[in-house]
Amino acid sequence: MQQRSLGVLTLILVSGLSIHGPSTHLAVANNGPWPLPQVTSPADNPSTPEKVELGRQLFFDPRLSKTQEVSCASCHNPEKGYSDGEPNSQGIGGQRGNRNSPSIINSAYHKFQFWDGRSKTLEEQALGPMQNPIEMGMTLDELVKRLNEVPGYRAQFQKVFGTDVTAENMAKAIAAFERTIVSKNSPYDRFVAGDTTNWNPTLELGRALFFGKANCSACHSGANLTDNAFHNIGIGSQDAGRAAISKLEADRGAFKTPTVREVARTAPYMHDGSLKTLEEVVEHYNKGGTPNDYLDEEIFPLKLTDAEKAALVIFMREGLSSPDLPIITKPELPQ
């Protein structure tokens, strides 16, 4: 880490860029409500340890798919940033969709779920992949019947919800589990809180660029570093994006702004997984995206130098990664 940062610092010094000390731009860094608030649960789905554990079991259980080969964790693998490391995800029978699997990290704070925002809650989102013929390929009736035939699940659902397995309560348990996958306490969080111990000039340059010249914070704003909105950023695919949901032509090719917290863990990037590295992401924005009739007004050539691009990548890779991110392992599944 230190060698990589110092390498970029050498580039910065050679290029003659001015570097400010860690505390210089603290007011700029505090961009929106900070720090991240405590996760809250819906009134009709309060969190309990027993419900979270049940959700963890369901999340890792391939019996939720028709062929019993795909679980939620197949596409949201904890070891791969709760994504899957693939441009587009593989479902039952080796089928593939046309979108990248979004990470569930900090999805508790999102106002919309899925790239096109077609679900507003984690509870609603949880049932979607189960019924998608390309992903898990089940009907809810089939799935409820299958899990009710597992004594261990029936006993837990009775304990947690006072019912046998139902689709609604499956969704509630999975959502309760997903709300525990939270990233905070990154080096940037500690910097904003006033701890500059490990904040070096390269991270500071990258942070200043993120909230300044590079214009990242036009969309990646607030405590979770997303505006929870939809933008056409010039990726160039034929996917209608948000327009398929909103029915507004202005939303064509627009997709939800993901958080950039833990972004180093979640490659490849964009809704179609077309950019493999953070360096490619920065270069995409630096050139102003791919021109199209619906390109967002915040996308334009940035004219970043090589040193600035490198520092921006380091800020995202090192400054926004938390040592406290929970990496959940597969539990023993009910029988």
Side-chain angles (χ1 to χ4, degrees):
M1 181 181 294
Q2 290 181 338
Q3 289 180 344
R4 185 162 64 243
S5 297
L6 287 173
V8 175
L9 180 55
T10 301
L11 282 172
I12 295 167
L13 292 173
V14 168
S15 68
L17 292 172
S18 174
I19 305 174
H20 300 276
S23 62
T24 304
H25 297 294
L26 188 56
V28 179
N30 192 2
N31 188 49
W34 214 275
L36 275 167
Q38 289 296 313
V39 171
T40 58
S41 300
D44 65 347
N45 190 23
S47 182
T48 67
E50 293 80 11
K51 187 184 294 182
V52 168
E53 178 57 23
L54 174 58
R56 179 169 77 120
Q57 293 168 0
L58 291 166
F59 187 86
F60 281 92
D61 198 333
R63 288 175 291 185
L64 271 63
S65 67
K66 192 172 189 67
T67 58
Q68 305 193 44
E69 61 180 321
V70 174
S71 69
C72 302
S74 298
C75 297
H76 302 287
N77 184 340
E79 298 296 332
K80 296 181 179 180
Y82 293 90
S83 183
D84 63 4
E86 300 286 338
N88 50 11
S89 297
Q90 180 172 304
I92 59 171
Q95 299 178 90
R96 287 189 178 272
N98 62 347
R99 291 181 182 171
N100 178 255
S101 179
S103 174
I104 66 166
I105 296 171
N106 284 19
S107 59
Y109 298 105
H110 295 339
K111 293 182 179 179
F112 301 94
Q113 308 298 331
F114 295 110
W115 279 106
D116 55 18
R118 62 186 180 273
S119 295
K120 292 186 178 181
T121 68
L122 285 172
E123 286 80 2
E124 183 182 346
Q125 183 278 330
L127 298 177
M130 298 175 194
Q131 301 171 84
N132 187 308
I134 292 177
E135 296 181 56
M136 301 174 85
M138 290 290 279
T139 68
L140 294 182
D141 287 344
E142 287 178 300
L143 184 52
V144 167
K145 182 178 183 294
R146 178 183 287 179
L147 294 190
N148 269 319
E149 292 172 352
V150 180
Y153 271 132
R154 287 188 66 184
Q156 285 192 82
F157 272 82
Q158 284 289 346
K159 180 179 179 181
V160 173
F161 295 107
T163 70
D164 286 348
V165 179
T166 69
E168 179 183 5
N169 289 337
M170 279 193 298
K172 286 183 175 181
I174 292 172
F177 165 71
E178 291 179 335
R179 289 191 177 98
T180 69
I181 310 303
V182 173
S183 172
K184 53 177 64 177
N185 194 37
S186 67
Y188 176 48
D189 291 304
R190 295 193 293 274
F191 166 73
V192 171
D195 179 2
T196 62
T197 305
N198 296 310
W199 198 256
N200 61 47
T202 303
L203 286 169
E204 173 58 15
L205 176 62
R207 186 209 57 74
L209 289 163
F210 187 95
F211 291 102
K213 180 180 177 181
N215 203 40
C216 307
S217 61
C219 300
H220 295 286
S221 57
N224 198 32
L225 298 176
T226 170
D227 60 1
N228 286 294
F230 302 87
H231 302 275
N232 181 316
I233 58 171
I235 288 299
S237 74
Q238 299 304 306
D239 194 323
R242 179 64 176 170
I245 306 303
S246 69
K247 309 305 180 185
L248 298 174
E249 189 63 16
D251 284 338
R252 184 159 298 278
F255 294 89
K256 186 181 74 172
T257 305
T259 179
V260 285
R261 288 177 174 273
E262 305 298 342
V263 69
R265 303 177 189 263
T266 60
Y269 304 103
M270 307 306 176
H271 70 274
D272 59 355
S274 59
L275 302 183
K276 296 179 181 179
T277 66
L278 285 175
E279 286 81 3
E280 289 184 15
V281 171
V282 169
E283 190 55 47
H284 169 81
Y285 286 112
N286 191 50
K287 72 177 185 179
T290 301
N292 69 83
D293 291 341
Y294 305 94
L295 189 67
D296 193 279
E297 64 183 4
E298 296 291 353
I299 306 300
F300 48 80
L302 301 174
K303 300 180 181 179
L304 300 176
T305 67
D306 288 345
E308 288 173 327
K309 287 185 283 187
L312 185 58
V313 167
I314 284 179
F315 169 70
M316 291 189 289
R317 181 176 289 147
E318 300 178 10
L320 301 179
S321 298
S322 171
D324 299 336
L325 178 72
I327 306 298
I328 305 299
T329 56
K330 181 178 180 179
E332 183 176 345
L333 299 177
Q335 301 297 324

